[in-house]
């Protein structure tokens, strides 16, 4: 008890001295602001909006202070510009709150270094809290403390209004990462730690880009250094070209990848691997190992038409390959954004903003990786263009982004100084306010209409993202079923395949039974029916009948199986084999495959012998047969050709023709065996040539 009392006295002393004001400040500030609003309203002011909850009123008051307007003026502006659907009483509180938040945020982002402002961080989090309970009848709590948390919907609406924090495409994945260890709800402490990491990543980007590193190579296109690795001896980067390996420093800019080989005390001249131009680049994970072996999955391969052979960058680490995955994701992000720019022919400010979206994504990923309070991170899930490359419907998202970029450019040219409605600074101006710029400096002060979010509704981008997420969830569920039915062992997989193909096998057996006239009556009816169909030129309908029957069967099955469990495929598992039996089975399979390949080669060599007249007698017979076939095809109508072909093939084993068919097959087989194979000469390469 004495120790507990002493600890409590120490904490009270800290609070009294102000050392823990960061912990209780938000709660006291909320109470003070709420008290001021109620007092001003009771004294005749119009700061209190009855449709809003207390927390929403406090947030709106903060927004009005930022814009230097009264709350009543805020409300009048909203009522004048909003449509009737947005002013619907059921959603009025939330829509008005969004309007205030978006306007305040857009103005706050025009202040240099806004991300380092603790008041700005707290305000954006309180906006999310207020968004979850905006109406007067939807607020169960009247206080805000450090334990308050926000959900996915609130984060996905407010955070994308600040492009450096999030965007519409990756907001869900980012929220899942930040809230992974807090029960699916985002805490302010985690949110603030994420923003601190973002600020640190921005400073790192600014420092690297302003340095003299690769200044001559970067000056033409004003390239910004996005990431740098290989400067620490415990985490080297190894470049493999052919059989040679060099340690060095790897540098990623917003246009290219550079590698500087390490010399004794300095670095050699940088080698450039372009990511912006169309060079048929292929960037993928790669295996490396000593003397050309493929053992360690810790490398990235870069291949293009400008290189004679692929270049492999290895990222050694003791456990796992997270370092390689990170570099693979950010390299692909730069490559994908330039592919997006080329595909949709984006120029000017649109091109610079597209590059900035990719860079912002990499900065977010760096901030998340610096946090110790989050779980494992899939790098590509937090990068916009990587994610669009993987998501179903990702191409639709990119098309929507391109259309939005084009419409922004048109609006900027037609009315560069829009003053009414919702607005914010451009992404380029945001970058400038964060301390670094992109492209030409004369674009930095232009304002653009917000395109990714809209008050009280969904933009085309949000709709495309939601549709893609819905499709992705279906893909995930389907993939889970795929993973669940995978079995090990060649014999087991063959047993499963045999069971699945059993209907087709039974159908083929039935057709062969008709073709071999095992039951003459059925074969005669079948032959007569299809002959009449071909003669009347109904074979088009005959080809359309199977898919029609299949579609009818699927619809009927869908209607009859509603609410019933899925019927499982029952497979009789083959007896288990030991290691020796498995090796023998593999050896037999390889031998059978080798025999099939040999037979195929013999067929090709005999055909070559016919073409080159190695056996003149066989070549003459083949040429006469082809000439007769050509004459028949040229002068006999196609309908009769199909009919004759069907009758010849189907009546081949009928009782009247069986003996003659067997005789002809024997003669053709003897003729085929009499054809010699074309000669083949195998040439072995010297060992010295292989080494080269």
């Amino acid at each position: 008890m004495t120790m507990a009392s002493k600890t409590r006295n120490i904490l009270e002393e800290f609070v009294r001295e102000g050392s823990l004001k960061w912990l209780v400040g938000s709660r006291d500030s909320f109470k003070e602001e709420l008290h001021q609003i109620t007092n001003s309203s009771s004294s005749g002011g119009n700061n209190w909006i009855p449709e809003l909850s207390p927390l929403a009123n406090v947030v709106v008051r903060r927004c009005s202070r930022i814009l230097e307007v009264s709350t009543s003026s805020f409300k009048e502006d909203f009522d004048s510009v909003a449509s009737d659907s947005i002013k619907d009483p059921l959603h009025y509180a939330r829509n008005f709150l969004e309007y205030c938040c978006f306007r305040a945020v857009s103005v706050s982002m025009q202040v240099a270094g806004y991300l380092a402002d603790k008041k700005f961080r707290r305000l954006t989090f309180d906006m999310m809290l207020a968004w979850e309970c905006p109406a007067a009848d939807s607020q169960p709590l009247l206080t805000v403390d450090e334990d308050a948390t926000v959900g996915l919907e609130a984060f996905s609406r407010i955070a994308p209004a600040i492009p450096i924090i999030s965007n519409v495409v990756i907001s869900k994945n980012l929220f899942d990462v930040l809230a992974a260890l807090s029960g699916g709800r985002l805490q302010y402490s985690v949110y603030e730690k994420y923003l601190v990491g973002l600020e640190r990543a921005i400073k790192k980007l600014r420092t690297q880009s302003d340095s003299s590193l690769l200044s001559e190579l970067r000056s033409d296109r004003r390239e910004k250094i996005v990431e740098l690795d290989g400067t620490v001896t415990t985490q080297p980067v190894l470049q493999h070209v052919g059989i040679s390996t060099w340690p060095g420093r790897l540098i990623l800019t917003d246009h290219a990848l550079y590698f500087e080989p390490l010399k004794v005390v300095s670095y050699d001249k940088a080698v450039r691997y372009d990511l912006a131009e169309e060079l048929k680049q292929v960037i993928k994970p790669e295996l490396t190992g000593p003397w050309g072996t493929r053992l360690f999955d810790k490398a990235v391969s870069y291949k293009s038409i400008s290189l004679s052979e692929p270049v492999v960058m290895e990222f050694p680490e003791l456990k796992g390959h997270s370092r390689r995955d990170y570099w693979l994701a950010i390299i692909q992000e730069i490559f994908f954004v330039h592919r997006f720019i080329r595909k949709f022919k984006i120029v000017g400010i649109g091109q610079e903003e597209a590059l900035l979206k990719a860079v912002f994504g990499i900065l977010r990923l760096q901030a998340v990786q610096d946090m110790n309070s989050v779980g494992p991170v899939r790098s590509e899930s937090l990068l916009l263009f990587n994610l669009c490359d993987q998501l179903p419907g990702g191409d639709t998202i990119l098309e929507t982004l391109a259309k939005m970029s084009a419409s922004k450019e048109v609006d900027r040219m037609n009315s560069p100084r829009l003053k009414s409605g919702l607005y914010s600074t451009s992404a380029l101006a945001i970058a400038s306010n964060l301390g670094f710029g992109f492209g030409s400096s004369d674009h930095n002060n232009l304002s653009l209409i917000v395109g990714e979010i809209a008050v009280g509704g969904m933009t085309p981008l949000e709709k495309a993202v939601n549709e893609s997420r819905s499709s992705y969830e279906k893909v995930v569920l389907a993939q889970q079923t795929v993973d669940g039915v995978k079995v090990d062992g060649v014999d087991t997989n063959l047993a499963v395949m045999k069971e699945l193909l059993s209907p087709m096998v039974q159908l083929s057996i039935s057709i062969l039974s008709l073709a071999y006239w095992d039951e003459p009556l059925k074969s005669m009816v079948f032959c007569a029916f299809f002959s009449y169909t071909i003669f009347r030129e109904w074979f088009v309908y005959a080809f359309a009948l199977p898919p029609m029957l299949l579609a009818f069967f699927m619809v009927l099955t869908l209607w009859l199986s509603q609410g019933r469990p899925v019927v499982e495929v029952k497979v009789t598992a083959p007896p288990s084999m030991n290691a020796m039996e498995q090796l023998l089975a593999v050896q037999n399979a390889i031998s059978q495959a080798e025999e099939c390949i040999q037979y195929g080669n013999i067929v090709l060599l005999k055909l070559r012998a016919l073409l080159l007249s190695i056996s003149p007698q066989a070549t003459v017979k083949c040429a006469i047969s082809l000439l007769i076939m050509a004459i028949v095809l040229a002068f006999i109508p196609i309908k009769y050709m199909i009919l004759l072909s069907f009758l010849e093939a189907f009546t081949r084993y009928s009782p009247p023709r069986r003996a003659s068919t067997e005789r002809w097959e024997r003669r053709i087989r003897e003729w085929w065996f009499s054809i010699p194979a074309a000669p083949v000469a195998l040439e072995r390469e010297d060992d010295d040539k292989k080494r080269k």
Side-chain angles (χ1 to χ4, degrees), residues 223-286:
E223 299 179 29
K224 303 298 177 182
I225 296 179
V226 180
E227 188 56 286
L228 173 67
D229 200 354
T231 57
V232 181
T233 56
T234 57
Q235 290 185 330
V237 176
L238 304 178
Q239 177 182 258
H240 301 271
V241 180
I243 61 174
S244 63
T245 301
W246 285 96
R249 181 168 59 184
L250 188 64
I251 303 167
L252 176 67
T253 72
D254 56 343
H255 285 77
L257 188 67
Y258 296 89
F259 182 80
E260 292 180 316
L262 180 63
K263 298 172 68 176
V264 179
V265 293
S266 62
Y267 291 96
D268 203 349
K269 184 178 180 181
V271 181
R272 176 190 178 96
Y273 303 107
D274 200 282
L275 300 173
E277 302 298 331
E278 177 55 52
L279 299 174
K280 306 294 183 182
Q281 295 97 329
V282 177
I283 304 167
K284 62 180 182 179
E286 188 59 88

Side-chain angles (χ1 to χ4, degrees), residues 18 25 74 98 212 218 221 235 302 311 315 343 380 443 450 457-458 469 516 519 524 538 552 572 585 661 672 680:
F74 232 150
E98 287 185 358
S212 59
R218 297 188 291 119
R221 296 190 289 190
Q235 290 185 330
Y302 174 91
V311 175
F315 303 89
K343 179 178 179 180
E380 63 274 11
H443 296 314
V450 169
M458 295 178 63
R469 286 175 181 169
Y516 280 96
E519 298 182 35
M524 188 176 298
W538 291 348
F552 177 75
T572 302
T661 298
W672 176 255
V680 176

Side-chain angles (χ1 to χ4, degrees), residues 534 632 636 639-649:
I534 295 173
V632 171
I636 297 180
K639 176 178 69 173
Y640 298 107
M641 284 297 305
I642 296 175
L643 179 59
L644 291 174
S645 300
F646 172 75
L647 289 175
E648 197 284 328

Side-chain angles (χ1 to χ4, degrees), residues 365-592:
L365 180 57
Q366 293 173 353
V368 169
Q369 288 190 333
D370 287 342
M371 299 172 62
N372 297 323
S373 57
V374 298
V377 179
R378 290 178 56 248
S379 300
E380 63 274 11
S381 66
L382 300 182
L383 300 174
L384 188 152
F385 296 97
N386 263 276
L387 192 60
C388 289
D389 186 68
Q390 297 178 1
L391 284 177
D395 56 335
T396 305
I397 297 176
L398 294 179
E399 289 177 5
T400 307
L401 282 172
K403 292 178 182 178
M404 290 170 53
S405 177
S407 63
K408 283 182 181 180
E409 187 71 16
V410 172
D411 292 340
R412 184 186 67 83
M413 297 299 295
N414 293 337
S415 51
R417 295 192 179 185
L418 289 171
K419 296 183 179 181
S420 61
L422 177 61
Y423 66 94
S424 77
T425 53
S426 68
L428 298 176
I430 292 171
S432 177
N433 294 330
L434 291 172
F436 60 94
F438 273 67
S440 53
S441 59
D442 57 342
H443 296 314
N444 286 339
N445 295 324
L446 295 174
S447 296
L448 301 176
I449 297 176
V450 169
E452 291 190 2
I453 48 178
V455 173
M458 295 178 63
T459 61
L461 178 61
E462 290 177 294
K463 294 178 181 178
V465 171
N466 289 339
E467 292 177 1
S468 179
R469 286 175 181 169
S470 178
S471 301
Y472 179 72
E473 292 174 357
K474 296 178 182 178
V475 171
V476 170
L477 293 175
Q479 189 61 37
Q480 290 176 354
T481 62
V482 171
D483 296 336
V485 298
K486 287 182 178 179
V487 294
D488 297 329
V490 177
D491 53 344
T492 307
N493 280 283
L494 287 176
V496 174
M497 181 178 292
K498 182 178 179 181
E499 184 64 29
L500 292 174
L501 294 177
S502 59
M504 301 299 297
V505 172
Q506 293 297 327
L507 179 61
S508 62
I509 291 175
S510 300
I511 294 176
L512 287 176
S513 176
L514 292 174
Y516 280 96
W517 291 71
D518 295 335
E519 298 182 35
L521 181 60
K522 292 183 179 179
S523 298
M524 188 176 298
V525 172
F526 182 82
C527 182
F529 173 76
F530 273 91
S531 299
Y532 184 75
T533 300
I534 295 173
F535 181 76
R536 296 299 303 268
E537 297 183 359
W538 291 348
F539 46 84
V540 176
Y541 303 104
F543 286 124
L545 185 61
M548 185 183 300
L549 293 176
L550 186 60
F552 177 75
F553 173 78
M554 294 169 65
V555 173
L556 183 63
T557 304
L558 176 65
W559 181 62
L560 295 176
S561 63
Q562 289 182 351
R564 296 183 180 181
V566 180
V567 180
E568 296 180 346
V569 179
K570 296 182 179 180
V571 180
T572 302
S576 59
M577 296 187 296
N578 55 33
M580 182 59 66
E581 290 174 340
Q582 291 179 357
L583 289 175
L584 291 175
V586 171
Q587 184 179 3
N588 292 333
I590 294 175
S591 300
Q592 293 176 2

Side-chain angles (χ1 to χ4, degrees), residues 78 82-83 85-86 91-92 94-103 157 421-422 450 453-459 462:
F78 176 74
S83 61
S85 60
I86 295 179
H91 306 96
Y92 182 87
R94 177 164 289 165
N95 293 342
F96 175 62
L97 178 66
E98 287 185 358
Y99 175 78
C100 298
C101 293
F102 293 163
R103 289 197 59 183
R157 289 297 295 175
L422 177 61
V450 169
I453 48 178
V455 173
M458 295 178 63
T459 61
E462 290 177 294

